[in-house]
Amino acid sequence: MEHARRVGNRLLAALPPADFALLAPHLRKVELQHDAVLVRSGDKIEHLSFPCSGAIALIMELPNGQTAATAVIGNDGAVGLMTALGPIRSPMTAVVRVAGTALQISPARFHNALERSPAIASSVQLLTRTLLTQFQHVAACNALHSVEARLARWLLHIHDRTDGGDILPLTQETLSELLGVRRTTVTHVVSALRSSRAIKSNRRGQLEIDRHRLEIIACECYKVMSRRIDRIVSQDAPRVLHAAPARIGCLPPDPPFAKTDS
């Protein structure tokens, strides 16, 4: 338990101590500033980010300039882990939507550890499962459910990954990006959620929510998706990662995080 609290990221915390020790000297803690772009679509991935707090949206950008969110990443995942498949460019843009902190490591350092640790390889597979779960549900939800239900779902997903109470730092532009709709549509949807008191107020750049009412309005995708992701991270991860056969020697647990990743 102390190890999990110290690490901050649930995916890293699930690693056996000896496997985590391969990464720890090269991890550096960074601040995730609100609206910061961690990587843009088509760019080379310069580092992997394991959030400890805050929320990062993965945004798909179409050639005509339209955008839509495909997933939200918090302390249950990572951004840039697709480099485990090879030196590929990012297929999506990753934007910090709620400020927080993350542990970052270079792809080269991560690959060195990956080659020595079946448990780290298993963690990549687990994260891939959580992302696929989100992608599949978001695609189905976008096709089948109302904009109001979809916005309620996104707000709940983001709220799950924040510790700042019921006020979310989200602008109408951000909501438009999450939903893949025009800002005029966002205005109508926010007004409807205010009428049902699921949104208490929407001051400039901030939304105050009523979580209980949002859960009533949100489609079933929210609960189904949350249960499946939580099962992967909380139940499958410890079982799969600790069952992975070790190929490394005994290393001291929990070495301190490096200040730089040179």
Side-chain angles (χ1 to χ4, degrees):
M1 182 62 69
E2 178 60 32
H3 173 66
R5 284 198 298 268
R6 179 176 178 274
V7 175
N9 180 273
R10 294 168 66 188
L11 196 66
L12 291 178
L15 289 171
D19 298 82
F20 178 72
L22 293 173
L23 299 170
H26 312 295
L27 292 167
R28 62 186 180 96
K29 196 167 189 176
V30 298
E31 296 291 326
L32 297 176
Q33 301 295 334
H34 182 250
D35 284 344
V37 177
L38 299 184
V39 62
R40 292 191 182 278
S41 176
D43 286 355
K44 181 181 177 182
I45 299 174
E46 300 292 345
H47 50 249
L48 288 74
S49 300
F50 295 85
C52 301
S53 60
I56 300 165
L58 300 184
I59 308 296
M60 180 64 70
E61 300 178 354
L62 300 181
N64 64 2
Q66 289 183 301
T67 61
T70 57
V72 173
I73 306 297
N75 70 350
D76 53 354
V79 174
L81 211 59
M82 290 186 69
T83 58
L85 303 176
I88 63 174
R89 295 186 178 273
S90 178
M92 286 170 283
T93 296
V95 185
V96 178
R97 287 310 177 202
V98 178
T101 61
L103 297 172
Q104 289 188 342
I105 187 171
S106 71
R109 297 284 193 184
F110 186 81
H111 272 278
N112 287 340
L114 178 67
E115 291 176 353
R116 300 174 60 191
S117 168
I120 294 176
S122 294
S123 74
V124 174
Q125 296 176 13
L126 287 165
L127 179 64
T128 301
R129 286 173 57 192
T130 64
L131 286 177
L132 285 176
T133 296
Q134 286 205 58
F135 294 160
Q136 290 167 347
H137 276 283
V138 168
C141 187
N142 288 347
L144 300 174
H145 297 138
S146 69
V147 181
E148 289 84 357
R150 288 162 48 202
L151 178 55
R153 174 178 57 76
W154 278 124
L155 294 178
L156 289 169
H157 283 315
I158 293 172
H159 188 248
D160 287 343
R161 291 161 173 81
T162 64
D163 52 10
D166 291 336
I167 297 179
L168 304 179
L170 302 172
T171 64
Q172 284 206 342
E173 182 180 0
T174 298
L175 298 180
S176 173
E177 185 179 68
L178 286 171
L179 293 167
V181 299
R182 297 180 183 275
R183 290 181 63 177
T184 52
T185 303
V186 171
T187 300
H188 292 307
V189 174
V190 170
S191 178
L193 292 182
R194 283 197 67 181
S195 296
S196 61
R197 293 184 290 174
I199 291 178
K200 298 179 182 178
S201 65
N202 59 320
R203 296 185 296 274
R204 184 176 179 83
Q206 291 186 329
L207 290 179
E208 184 180 4
I209 67 169
D210 183 313
R211 183 178 177 92
H212 175 68
R213 294 182 186 276
L214 278 179
E215 289 178 346
I216 294 173
I217 294 171
C219 53
E220 63 271 21
C221 293
Y222 168 69
K223 290 184 178 180
V224 173
M225 194 186 311
S226 296
R227 282 198 302 266
R228 289 182 177 176
I229 292 175
D230 192 63
R231 184 174 66 246
I232 292 171
V233 176
S234 298
Q235 298 178 27
D236 293 355
R239 176 176 53 81
V240 172
L241 299 185
H242 286 264
R247 290 205 303 260
I248 55 179
C250 182
L251 294 173
D254 291 2
F257 301 138
K259 293 183 179 180
T260 60
D261 190 13
S262 56

